[in-house]
Every structure is written in structure tokens, then in C-alpha cells.
Amino acid sequence: MDIAYHVSMLRDPVDMTDEEIVNITLKEKTFFVHIVSRYEAKLGRYIERLGVRNAEDKEDVLQEIFIKVYKNLNGFDVSLSFSSWIYRISHNEAISWYRKKNVRPEGHLVFESEELLSFVASSEDGAESLFDKDINADVVAAALDSLDDKYKSPLILRFFEHKEYEDISDILKIPIGSVGTLIHRGKQQLRKKINEEHIRI
Amino acid sequence: MTKENKQQQPPHILENKPDLSLTVLERIEKERLEPVPRWLIMCGEYAIWGLWGTSVLFGAVAISVMLYVSMHAGFAMYEATHDTRLSFFVDVLPFLWILVFIVMALIAYFNLRKTKKGYKYPFWQIVLSSLVCSVVGGGILHAGGIGYLIDTQIGKDMPMFPSLARTEEGMWQSPSKGRILGNVTSETEDAKELIFTDMDGDKWIFNISELMSRDIVLLQSGKRVRVIGVVSSTSEMYFHGCAVFPWMFDAPVMYQNLAKERRGFEEHVEQHIKRFIDKAKFDKIPPTDTVVTVVQKQMVADDMGLCPTLPLVKRLMPQSAR
């Protein structure tokens, strides 16, 4: 065990898997910086999409996420991917943040137009027929933003974080069958909202 | 992650912000934070499973009592206490245990959901697995006599608890409806009368003239018995017995005893119905008939006694005989 640890210490952390970094971090806490730098940008974008928009708030929430991750490293379930586990913690932290703040995020665009276009053009499960291609990306983003959290989170994870159904199930702690259902219903609601918005425009 | 990514400048450098990884590390050092020990995390997981196991066990106990109550309630003689099987069923239904079972099933469900992998399974699978565990466990506990033991013991310890024995006592101790529960405490000079003390402590002069010989043997054993009859005089506390059945809730009830009880009940009812029909035949003979005299008719009426006139007997009588 110790030999494996010392050998792994000689390797470049960039080439290590998340799980290997976790194992080393449990013995040498400074290694945790590699986890932070690996996930900082991804999780930053994710919590922003979930509604943590202010830069200072985002910084605070990210800090809390990584502190929580560090404190719970021993609870990391090796049957899950580390990515799913850290996304789960981030999701919960973001949700509890805006519950604490007693706000519901809305009205700001946090989706890059490229992502939105690929979302609109997605060929999965009839998504391509969801929207009229001429619809403004702003309209799609606003509609997505106004969706109920239970639909918004699976859609964000699927189409913007590019997670598989199984990962989404692990992140949101819902049965895999429910992931499909929520994504399907989310799309329906999204279509309805976009149509309403489109008519208004 | 590729080498190219490694060479990219992190956003904090471009934006001239403090490095988050260093901030986090500083905080870990400053606040002396350590990962929660694995054993503590495992304890939490075991506690959830333990709570699940406990709720399933209590659910199984509730099922075992429900099985005991539903299988051993006095269905064999429900006509003696109720008009319909349904009304009897509603009266003996162990609502408290059903409630306990529902609460335990809910606790089991939420605990299983809280386990590491609990969220992976759909609602029905979680509910069904907990139910199957409780039902199988309940069946095993019932087979081991635990259902009887728990129901009886709690009934003895808690006066307000509606155990099966207490429910049956309530049904049978009702002199105004022709049912009493108690035992013979002494004899009288009259060979056709005994002194019977019921559950409320009331002493009755008990007429045994219409009882079968096996009823009399049972009465004379001094054991607690259930009696169907009629209060023939309240001023003198006079009870006319029509059928006697053993009290079965002093020990686990055996199925063969229930079947035997049913046969005994039917025999008593048939006997009283037969006497009623015999009298009806005599009544139909015209008074002018020279063979049957008024005296003979009176003898038949006397022989019929009080039991064939019981509401219970009339209710169970075939339509054609009424």
C-alpha cells in the first residue's frame, strides 16, 4: 500500500484518475489542489447554470463545495464515478445556497449560444423536432431558466454537462427510469414555454 | 486531461483573482479540517440499515399479530355475535396493528431510500421489498406463536389495548343480547340449575335444562366458557342456557379447534331449529282434529322450550321453516 502510494507520488497528477488523486489526498492533503483545479471551472459553470450567478456568491459556493468534498472524501462511493459524486455535492450545495438566500434564479442568460444551438439541434429523443430553428437562443435560454428545478437540472446535466443517464441518476439521486421521464417532460414543458414566448415576441 | 490543457492558464490568473485551490487548501490548514473518518461514515450507513431492519421487524410483528387475529377471531361462530360476516370482520379488524404496519412500512421505505444505493430503485421496488420482508417475517413469527404472545401479553399489560381476547370478551359478555362469558362457581339443590358468575362478577341462576350433555360437562369443569341463551328473569338474575362453548383465548387457538367449534355451533342451532319446526307442524294441525288434543299441543310447546325462539335461531332458520 505504501509502496503504491510512493510510486503514485512520482507520477504527474495530470495523468492520474480522480480516484487515484482522492486516495493520495487522504494521505497527503496538499494533493487536494489537483481536485480543485480539475473541477473548478466545470463546477463553476454548473452552479452558475443552476442559479448561482453573482461572482462572489459563486466563489463562496465553490469554496464550500470543495471543503465539503474534502471533509467527505472517505464517504466517496467507489461504485460511482468521482465526477458524479462531486457533481452531486455541488448540486446539493447550490440548491441549499439559493434556499438559504430564499431566491429562485431567473432571467439571466448563462448558456453559451454554441451550447444552446447544439441543444436545439440535439438528435436525441425527438429533440430536433422540439424547436423551430429560427428561434432566438435567448428565448430558449430564458425558457430553460424558467423551468421547474426538477426538470431544469436533468436537462442541464444532459445537454450542457453532457452527462449520461446513469451519471444523472447518481448526481440527482433518482432512479434511472425517472431521469428519462424528467428529461422527456422537461422538453415538453420547454417546448410549451418557448412557443408561448415566441408568440409574445 | 491532456498536456495542452495543463499548459492553459487557469482563469484566476487571467482575471487576477486568488487561486481557489490555494484558498481551499489554506482554509483546510487554518481550520484544521480533516476528512470525516471512514468508520463514522460507515456508522451512519449502518444506522440507516439498522433502522430499516428495525422497522421491517416491527412491521413483521404487526403482520404476525394481524395474521393471528384474522385467523383466530371467532369467524367459526360469527352469527352468534353479528348479523353479517362483514360486520364481524370490521369489528375484529386489528386497526392498531394495521396502523403500526403502515407506519413501519413508511419508515422502512424512507430508510431504504436514504441508503447509498437506495435512490437507484423505483418506488414500487423499494415498497415491495420492504413489504415482502415484513410479510415473510410476519408469517414466520406467526408460525412461532409470536403473534398470539404479543397480542395477549400487551392485552394483559395495557387495559385499553384491544387485543383479540379483549375484543371477543366484549362481544360475548352481553347478557341483554343473550350472551355471557364466565364460569360455574357452585351448584344448587335443583339439578337443572347452577350458579354462574360472569365476567362482570354478576351471579346468575343458570338453567341447564335445554343444554346438550357435552355442554353440561363443559360447564361443570369450572373453566371459563361462552354461553348463548336468554335472560329469562332480570329480577332474579335468571339465565336460560342454550349452547355452551369453551373460551379459547387462554392458549394459542388451534385450527382443528375452530373447525370443531363450527361443527358444535351448527349442531346446536340445528337442534333448536328442529324443535321449532316440530312445534310448527303441531300448530298447523286443525284444532278439530280428534287425535291431537289441546293437552298434547301444550306438551309439545313446553318441550320446545325457550331456545328455538332465540333471534339467532330464527335468523339461521331456512326460509321455508319460518
Side-chain angles (χ1 to χ4, degrees):
Chain A
M1 181 93 174
D2 280 335
I3 294 170
Y5 165 68
H6 289 297
V7 169
S8 62
M9 289 290 280
L10 298 174
R11 288 169 57 205
D12 187 340
V14 173
D15 300 326
M16 288 183 186
T17 63
D18 292 338
E19 288 74 13
E20 285 171 327
I21 296 179
V22 168
N23 280 335
I24 298 172
T25 304
L26 284 168
K27 296 183 180 81
E28 175 49 60
K29 64 180 74 164
T30 54
F31 242 71
F32 192 60
V33 293
H34 299 297
I35 293 284
V36 179
S37 50
R38 202 172 267 196
Y39 280 95
E40 180 185 352
K42 285 181 194 170
L43 298 182
R45 273 196 307 272
Y46 180 55
I47 61 168
E48 198 174 346
R49 283 173 181 141
L50 286 178
V52 187
R53 308 272 152 77
N54 179 291
E56 270 178 37
D57 288 341
K58 208 170 95 176
E59 180 85 14
D60 288 348
V61 174
L62 273 177
Q63 224 184 87
E64 286 310 314
I65 288 169
F66 285 114
I67 291 293
K68 208 160 255 181
V69 167
Y70 178 74
K71 281 163 83 175
N72 288 288
L73 275 182
N74 274 318
F76 164 51
D77 182 354
V78 287
S79 66
L80 299 181
S81 73
F82 182 79
S83 166
S84 297
W85 186 69
I86 203 168
Y87 264 84
R88 181 193 289 175
I89 292 174
S90 309
H91 181 87
N92 293 341
E93 199 58 33
I95 301 282
S96 68
W97 176 83
Y98 61 71
R99 271 192 194 144
K100 248 184 262 170
K101 293 260 177 177
N102 205 19
V103 292
R104 193 190 181 284
E106 57 181 324
H108 300 280
L109 301 177
V110 289
F111 304 100
E112 288 160 28
S113 53
E114 219 173 272
E115 285 177 319
L116 275 171
L117 283 175
S118 70
F119 175 48
V120 169
S122 164
S123 60
E124 187 186 337
D125 192 24
E128 75 267 63
S129 61
L130 263 180
F131 318 110
D132 177 348
K133 298 279 195 304
D134 296 336
I135 287 176
N136 189 322
D138 293 0
V139 174
V140 181
L144 191 58
D145 228 7
S146 67
L147 275 186
D148 191 331
D149 284 339
K150 79 174 172 184
Y151 300 120
K152 191 165 85 172
S153 301
L155 286 178
I156 289 174
L157 286 166
R158 181 76 190 121
F159 295 104
F160 298 94
E161 302 296 331
H162 310 290
K163 298 287 181 192
E164 296 299 327
Y165 276 31
E166 198 178 344
D167 294 329
I168 299 172
S169 156
D170 291 335
I171 293 167
L172 300 178
K173 291 187 95 177
I174 52 175
I176 203 159
S178 304
V179 174
T181 310
L182 290 175
I183 287 178
H184 179 71
R185 287 189 191 153
K187 280 179 188 169
Q188 282 180 332
Q189 291 220 356
L190 196 60
R191 183 196 290 140
K192 203 175 149 198
K193 280 184 188 287
I194 286 170
N195 287 338
E196 283 168 6
E197 194 63 27
H198 197 48
I199 289 165
R200 210 177 299 143
I201 288 167
Chain B
M1 202 174 274
T2 63
K3 297 277 176 192
E4 287 146 39
N5 283 346
K6 191 185 167 191
Q7 283 158 5
Q8 277 178 358
Q9 288 284 22
H12 64 272
I13 292 177
L14 297 174
E15 294 167 23
N16 199 22
K17 283 195 304 184
D19 184 348
L20 181 70
S21 56
L22 293 179
T23 314
V24 170
L25 202 60
E26 269 173 29
R27 212 177 130 189
I28 289 171
E29 296 282 3
K30 196 176 159 195
E31 294 177 23
R32 293 170 191 270
L33 298 175
E34 289 296 335
V36 178
R38 187 174 290 276
W39 65 265
L40 201 60
I41 290 168
M42 294 310 286
C43 277
E45 183 74 4
Y46 289 141
I48 291 171
W49 277 108
L51 211 56
W52 175 82
T54 309
S55 56
V56 166
L57 182 69
F58 274 97
V61 166
I63 289 276
S64 74
V65 180
M66 280 193 263
L67 283 173
Y68 161 69
V69 171
S70 56
M71 287 179 176
H72 299 100
F75 280 106
M77 295 171 39
Y78 77 89
E79 296 100 325
T81 52
H82 290 75
D83 290 340
T84 63
R85 196 184 282 264
L86 182 68
S87 60
F88 177 82
F89 184 70
V90 170
D91 266 6
V92 295
L93 209 59
F95 290 105
L96 189 67
W97 289 108
I98 292 172
L99 187 71
V100 168
F101 177 70
I102 291 171
V103 170
M104 290 302 140
L106 285 174
I107 293 175
Y109 167 75
F110 286 113
N111 273 290
L112 212 54
R113 260 270 186 267
K114 289 266 174 213
T115 59
K116 261 186 183 172
K117 303 271 169 68
Y119 66 89
K120 283 184 182 280
Y121 306 101
F123 172 80
W124 67 269
Q125 269 184 23
I126 293 181
V127 170
L128 201 68
S129 61
S130 299
L131 287 186
V132 167
C133 288
S134 284
V135 170
V136 170
I140 294 168
L141 290 178
H142 171 65
I146 302 294
Y148 162 76
L149 208 67
I150 288 175
D151 191 59
T152 312
Q153 198 53 49
I154 298 179
K156 280 178 188 166
D157 295 342
M158 295 169 67
M160 296 301 286
F161 178 76
S163 64
L164 179 60
R166 187 161 288 136
T167 307
E168 290 276 342
E169 280 173 0
M171 286 178 190
W172 281 93
Q173 178 57 32
S174 181
S176 61
K177 290 177 182 165
R179 298 185 294 268
I180 50 172
L181 179 63
N183 56 314
V184 166
T185 44
S186 59
E187 294 183 354
T188 63
E189 287 173 5
D190 188 337
K192 290 192 171 180
E193 289 174 354
L194 297 166
I195 301 297
F196 187 94
T197 308
D198 71 15
M199 265 191 58
D200 298 335
D202 292 332
K203 288 188 187 303
W204 298 85
I205 300 166
F206 192 100
N207 188 301
I208 58 171
S209 60
E210 283 193 63
L211 291 179
M212 291 180 176
S213 54
R214 64 172 184 237
D215 293 338
I216 297 167
V217 172
L218 188 58
L219 273 175
Q220 285 175 333
S221 70
K223 289 179 183 168
R224 183 189 263 200
V225 289
R226 292 168 290 172
V227 182
I228 296 173
V230 60
V231 177
S232 48
S233 164
T234 44
S235 57
E236 290 180 49
M237 296 292 279
Y238 204 93
F239 195 89
H240 192 92
C242 296
V244 181
F245 304 97
W247 175 249
M248 298 208 292
F249 298 97
D250 294 331
V253 184
M254 309 302 283
Y255 298 113
Q256 52 267 42
N257 289 352
L258 289 173
K260 198 173 149 191
E261 182 163 79
R262 179 71 197 171
R263 281 196 301 278
F265 175 71
E266 285 171 349
E267 279 169 19
H268 279 94
V269 172
E270 278 164 16
Q271 184 207 37
H272 296 314
I273 289 174
K274 189 174 173 296
R275 284 160 65 198
F276 183 90
I277 292 170
D278 286 348
K279 180 180 179 290
K281 276 181 192 163
F282 266 88
D283 286 346
K284 280 180 184 167
I285 297 170
T288 50
D289 193 305
T290 52
V291 182
V292 182
T293 64
V294 174
V295 177
Q296 280 175 311
K297 271 195 163 186
Q298 187 58 48
M299 281 172 66
V300 172
D302 289 346
D303 189 42
M304 187 180 84
L306 291 174
C307 296
T309 61
L310 284 179
L312 163 71
V313 175
K314 284 185 180 167
R315 210 168 62 235
L316 298 177
M317 202 175 287
Q319 195 70 36
S320 56
R322 287 181 196 176

